[in-house]
Structure formats: structure tokens, C-alpha cells
Amino acid sequence: MAKLISHVGIAVKSLDASIPFYRDVLGMEFEGTEVVAEQKVKVAFLVVGESRIELLEPTSDDSPVAKFLEKNGEGTHHIAYQVDDLAAALADLKAKGVRLIDETPRRGAHGSLIAFIHPKASGGVLTELCQAH
Ligand code: CMX
């Protein structure tokens, strides 16, 4: 099911303040930013090998990332694994009784399809599955 680590999501207060560390200090290729309206975040992607770092800045006070920042401050927010067929993966997880946040795929960045597994079902790690578009 999980093919590779698509990206690691990191919650930040400000993309502008956070991008330079990854781009200029760690030397990652900066791919650009995108607003993911459905998730109430603005994201920046930085390429590292086959994977990416996704910096997440909330776009409103009721964004899940705003709530995370308020509770924990900046830091690792989720790990995303790439799958070939998200709908099939979700059906499989549901059949196995895994607690899902999204029972059907939603729209993520880059037109991808995404769904989250609840952190209580995955050892305290918010886990995303994504299918590239
Ligand atoms: N990683 C690990 N645990 C987390 C977490 C995270 N990112 N966010 C919340 N939790 C834990 C909390 O610590 C809390 O645990 P305790 O009950 O032990 O204290 C529990 O989950 C409930 O957290 P909460 O703060 O009360 O928040 P909610 O239940 O309202 O929401 C969650 C939590 C995960 C269901 C919600 O954030 C969600 O639906 N997330 C998925 C969507 C998302 O995060 N979108 C932004 C990224 C989008 C993108 O990548 O494009």
C-alpha cells in the first residue's frame, strides 16, 4: 500500500520566515507555494530526493494547523505516504477497522488526492495517504 514517503509536513507560523532554513541552509530545491483552501493552509514544498518537506502555514484561525500551533508550537505535523489507489487503500483500512479522519479522498496540493488516518490509530503520528494526480 504505502510506496514511499511523499512528504513530511511541518507546521510553521510563517512560510516566509521558515523557507530560508530549508532552501538556503539545507540546500533543498524550493518548488513554490500553494493555497490548499479545503485544508485551510498555505503550503511550500522543498524537494529532498524522491520526497518533499511540506511547510504548512494556517490561513485561518480554525485551520487544523492553527490549532496544532497553538497547542504544540512549530514542529512536525504529519507524515504522508504515497499510494497508487487511495480509494482502494481507504477501503482496505476501513475493513481492518483503522480509525480514519477522511473516509473518502479529498483534494490536496498539486491536485493530488489525500486522506488522513487519525493519530490515535497510528501511534500518535498524524498519517496522510496521498495519490499523485
Ligand atoms: N499529530 C499527532 N497528534 C495530533 C495531531 C498531529 N498533527 N493533531 C492532533 N493530535 C492529537 C492531539 O494531541 C490530541 O491528543 P490528546 O487527546 O491525547 O491530547 C488529539 O489528537 C485530538 O487533537 P485536538 O487538538 O483536540 O484536535 P482535533 O481533534 O480537533 O483535530 C485532527 C485533530 C488530527 C483530527 C485534525 O487536526 C485533522 O483532522 N487533521 C487532518 C487535516 C489536517 O491536518 N490538515 C492540514 C494539513 C493539510 C495538508 O497537508 O495539505
Side-chain angles (χ1 to χ4, degrees):
M1 180 193 288
K3 295 286 175 189
L4 57 86
I5 293 178
S6 162
H7 60 266
V8 175
I10 298 177
V12 301
K13 290 179 189 152
S14 156
L15 292 183
D16 287 344
S18 306
I19 288 167
F21 173 74
Y22 293 91
R23 185 190 57 202
D24 305 332
V25 179
L26 296 183
M28 296 178 189
E29 179 198 337
F30 171 59
E31 270 193 336
T33 61
E34 181 180 340
V35 172
V36 184
E38 198 175 339
Q39 296 289 335
K40 297 178 179 165
V41 288
K42 185 174 177 190
V43 302
F45 281 104
L46 295 114
V47 182
V48 52
E50 283 190 306
S51 304
R52 284 166 177 73
I53 293 296
E54 180 189 40
L55 302 178
L56 303 145
E57 178 191 292
T59 53
S60 72
D61 289 346
D62 62 343
S63 163
V65 173
K67 191 169 184 184
F68 179 91
L69 285 169
E70 199 179 301
K71 215 168 160 179
N72 308 286
E74 295 183 311
T76 306
H77 182 262
H78 67 268
I79 298 183
Y81 300 98
Q82 192 174 306
V83 297
D84 288 335
D85 183 341
L86 181 56
L90 291 174
D92 185 45
L93 290 169
K94 218 173 158 183
K96 288 173 177 158
V98 176
R99 182 175 171 190
L100 302 174
I101 292 172
D102 303 302
E103 297 209 346
T104 53
R106 303 173 68 151
R107 282 278 158 218
H110 293 150
S112 61
L113 294 173
I114 64 170
F116 285 90
I117 297 171
H118 200 280
K120 296 293 177 200
S122 46
V125 179
L126 178 60
T127 301
E128 177 185 338
L129 300 179
C130 64
Q131 179 186 331
H133 205 51

